[in-house]
Amino acid sequence: MPTTTQTFENKTILITGGAGFIGSNLAFYFQEHHPKATVIVLDTFRNEERFSNGNLKSFGHFKNLLGFKGKILQGDITKDLGILESLDIDFIFHQAAISDTTVMDQGIMMQTNVNAFEDLLGLALRKNAVMVYASSAATYGNAPSPQRVGHEAPENVYGFSKLAMDNLARLWAAKTDLTIVGLRYFNVYGPREFYKQKTASMVVQLGHQILGGRAPRLFYGSDAIVRDFIYIEDVIQANILAATKGKSGVYNVGTGKPRSFQDIADILQQELGTNLGTDYFQNPYSAYQTHTEADISLTCKDLGYAPRFTLEQGIRAYVPEIKRLFESEVKGA
Ligand SMILES: NC(=O)c1ccc[n+]([C@@H]2O[C@H](COP(=O)([O-])OP(=O)(O)OC[C@H]3O[C@@H](n4cnc5c(N)ncnc54)[C@H](O)[C@@H]3O)[C@@H](O)[C@H]2O)c1
């Protein structure tokens, strides 16, 4: 088995959605660790267009790529993939998507997340490129914990679209020699998520409430509402392993150790040296997931994945960036 340095040396890596949270972290990972690789980012970037839920149609932001020295292409995966045709591509890390789980427009969700993925699989085939793509824990909906590949029950069109991607991936892996790996991220948090606005993790949102001198706002009963929160560095680790093992499949990416929203608020207050209590309010949602927990046994066995960050360690690593963002982007905004 070649080392990761050998695997990526002098190779061309395409990152779709590279101006977004996870994609930009991947871009910087390769810039720092594999300087001899050519990294190409493709992203539609944001404009002023919004969905009916009031959120932006795409969250890509140039500030996520400040300091990135690779090639950046603006383009929409639903119509501009032709601009990639003349390039040599060895690896595709496909992160571009409608990442907002509350978008109700089923047509545009399926077109962006599913149709464009099939077009990218065609590109991977023509280039003989390894495909690692972002699936999601939303494929599980309210399926009982621990969530396990093969036991899905999506509750919204976002989760449905990601499950459709996984099904497509299996079909293509069976009929071609391509390596196609789907990673079902659970709740990811960490640097470069800020520009996702309301869809960014509660870690940064609660952090900024606390830094603003306010008690963190949580639903009543938040000590019993748990999620599998996963730090961005562990998500990057999973992507790198997925790209290098040469084994197609769909894998959960979490810690396997669910924690509560109350834990997040409490750890943040400890790290920030505050004692503001909690401002509880009524949960407005009738259907709400109260427990997610990734079964990561297959991910560990097949990919050699081992999460390195507990919630305490992830938040501690993230706090300086949460503070920097508060000073530069939140205060006085
Ligand atoms: N962050 C999480 O907790 C999480 C959890 C599960 C799955 N995911 C998945 O991981 C991937 C990355 O998520 P993220 O958190 O970085 O979200 P993000 O919104 O920050 O990144 C997605 C990027 O895709 C771009 N994009 C959207 N539509 C596009 C289009 N038509 N053409 C080209 N680019 C387009 C956006 O501009 C954005 O930069 C997504 O596929 C998302 O569904 C994320």
Side-chain angles (χ1 to χ4, degrees):
M1 170 77 63
T3 64
T4 54
T5 308
Q6 288 164 338
T7 304
F8 295 116
E9 183 146 352
N10 300 321
K11 295 290 165 53
T12 301
I13 295 161
L14 170 68
I15 304 171
T16 70
F21 168 34
I22 296 168
S24 60
N25 278 286
L26 274 167
F28 280 100
Y29 172 86
F30 285 112
Q31 178 162 300
E32 277 164 38
H33 297 272
H34 301 287
K36 289 193 178 151
T38 300
V39 183
I40 304 169
V41 156
L42 174 75
D43 201 294
T44 192
F45 289 81
R46 70 183 50 198
N47 54 35
E48 294 304 312
E49 285 179 42
R50 290 177 189 273
F51 285 115
S52 59
N53 65 5
N55 292 341
L56 287 175
K57 284 197 170 172
S58 53
F59 292 112
H61 200 299
F62 77 91
K63 286 192 180 177
N64 283 332
L65 288 171
L66 286 174
F68 173 66
K69 299 184 184 72
K71 184 165 175 165
I72 301 172
L73 297 172
Q74 191 282 339
D76 184 328
I77 52 167
T78 65
K79 54 184 172 67
D80 298 325
L81 290 181
I83 58 176
L84 303 171
E85 215 56 60
S86 62
L87 305 170
D88 286 327
I89 300 170
D90 301 295
F91 293 90
I92 302 176
F93 291 88
H94 174 44
Q95 309 299 314
I98 295 175
S99 63
D100 181 347
T101 61
T102 65
V103 168
M104 294 299 155
D105 186 331
Q106 302 191 12
I108 193 165
M109 182 73 81
M110 295 301 286
Q111 185 192 18
T112 310
N113 291 6
V114 188
N115 293 24
F117 178 51
E118 182 148 51
D119 292 342
L120 275 162
L121 286 168
L123 180 77
L125 188 63
R126 289 189 292 285
K127 304 289 173 189
N128 195 25
V130 170
M131 166 67 83
V132 180
Y133 69 94
S135 180
S136 172
T139 52
Y140 296 115
N142 268 327
S145 288
Q147 283 82 33
R148 213 168 266 138
V149 176
H151 301 267
E152 297 80 8
E155 297 262 324
N156 54 30
V157 68
Y158 170 79
F160 180 81
S161 74
K162 292 288 178 177
L163 184 55
M165 288 174 72
D166 295 339
N167 292 337
L168 261 184
R170 290 196 184 92
L171 286 173
W172 278 70
K175 72 171 186 190
T176 67
D177 290 333
L178 286 175
T179 299
I180 308 171
V181 190
L183 298 176
R184 287 187 179 164
Y185 308 145
F186 278 62
N187 287 62
V188 192
Y189 65 99
R192 302 192 179 92
E193 66 168 318
F194 175 74
Y195 299 104
K196 290 176 71 178
Q197 302 179 331
K198 280 187 204 150
T199 74
S201 80
M202 287 310 290
V203 177
V204 69
Q205 298 195 47
L206 294 171
H208 286 165
Q209 289 169 21
I210 295 165
L211 286 167
R214 285 168 286 143
R217 275 173 62 73
L218 292 178
F219 296 153
Y220 285 108
S222 281
D223 56 339
I225 306 174
V226 298
R227 297 271 185 281
D228 197 324
F229 298 104
I230 178 83
Y231 192 55
I232 183 68
E233 287 197 27
D234 282 327
V235 169
I236 300 303
Q237 179 208 156
N239 273 274
I240 301 309
L241 289 166
T244 47
K245 293 287 169 183
K247 190 171 167 51
S248 293
V250 176
Y251 296 99
N252 285 340
V253 179
T255 61
K257 296 192 170 56
R259 301 290 299 271
S260 72
F261 286 100
Q262 188 72 56
D263 286 336
I264 293 181
D266 293 349
I267 297 166
L268 278 165
Q269 296 226 55
Q270 200 165 351
E271 287 298 323
L272 295 169
T274 58
N275 194 9
L276 297 164
T278 307
D279 179 10
Y280 295 107
F281 66 107
Q282 202 61 46
N283 180 349
Y285 304 105
S286 50
Y288 195 70
Q289 265 177 325
T290 53
H291 193 124
T292 69
E293 176 181 343
D295 178 339
I296 57 170
S297 50
L298 208 61
T299 326
C300 299
K301 182 171 149 276
D302 285 4
L303 301 184
Y305 166 79
R308 298 190 187 120
F309 287 80
T310 62
L311 188 61
E312 281 78 2
Q313 290 166 324
I315 291 178
R316 186 164 304 145
Y318 189 11
V319 154
E321 175 63 3
I322 294 175
K323 286 182 175 165
R324 188 194 68 77
L325 285 164
F326 184 76
E327 291 301 321
S328 65
E329 302 280 344
V330 180
K331 228 160 94 174

